[in-house]
Amino acid sequence: MWYCFFFLFKREEMLILTAVYNGTKHLLFSCGLAWIIYLCLTGQSEFLNKCLSWKYFLPLSRLSYCAYLIHTLIIIRYLLEAEDLMEFSYTSMA
């Protein structure tokens, strides 16, 4: 999975290499994540399962799920309140 993130780091830019990387990076990352889930569900990796089900991750998981549920409402309200076209800025993006 780390290979998906850092494949093009400090490499010479080649069009075909960049195209293949951009076409397959999401698929390879998803396969890696699916493999981790498979290992945890079948009980083949007790250490990984214990790390991922650590009780101190619970508040963080609830907070991120809450943000996931309400972020769409905040974006829609922000866009509906705009009176004219908005220009791009890092403040509006945040």
Side-chain angles (χ1 to χ4, degrees), residues 4 21-32:
C4 293
Y21 171 72
N22 286 331
T24 58
K25 66 181 175 182
H26 296 293
L27 176 67
L28 294 175
F29 184 79
S30 299
C31 289

Side-chain angles (χ1 to χ4, degrees), residues 57-72:
F57 284 138
L58 190 61
L60 181 63
S61 68
R62 289 180 179 169
L63 183 64
S64 64
Y65 185 63
C66 179
Y68 166 74
L69 289 176
I70 66 170
H71 85 280
T72 308

Side-chain angles (χ1 to χ4, degrees), residues 39-50:
L39 288 177
C40 289
L41 287 177
T42 57
Q44 296 179 19
S45 176
E46 283 187 35
F47 175 73
L48 185 63
N49 199 14
K50 285 182 182 180

Side-chain angles (χ1 to χ4, degrees), residues 4-87:
C4 293
F5 289 123
F6 301 114
F7 180 73
L8 295 178
F9 184 68
K10 290 189 178 181
R11 289 194 182 200
E12 182 182 337
E13 238 181 84
M14 294 174 25
L15 183 62
I16 188 71
L17 189 62
T18 305
V20 169
Y21 171 72
N22 286 331
T24 58
K25 66 181 175 182
H26 296 293
L27 176 67
L28 294 175
F29 184 79
S30 299
C31 289
L33 192 61
W35 184 253
I36 290 173
I37 292 170
Y38 173 76
L39 288 177
C40 289
L41 287 177
T42 57
Q44 296 179 19
S45 176
E46 283 187 35
F47 175 73
L48 185 63
N49 199 14
K50 285 182 182 180
C51 288
L52 292 176
S53 49
W54 193 35
K55 68 178 181 175
Y56 294 108
F57 284 138
L58 190 61
L60 181 63
S61 68
R62 289 180 179 169
L63 183 64
S64 64
Y65 185 63
C66 179
Y68 166 74
L69 289 176
I70 66 170
H71 85 280
T72 308
L73 299 172
I74 293 171
I75 291 172
I76 289 172
R77 181 173 182 216
Y78 180 72
L79 292 175
L80 290 176
E81 285 181 351
E83 295 179 5
D84 56 349
L85 294 176
M86 294 184 296
E87 293 184 20

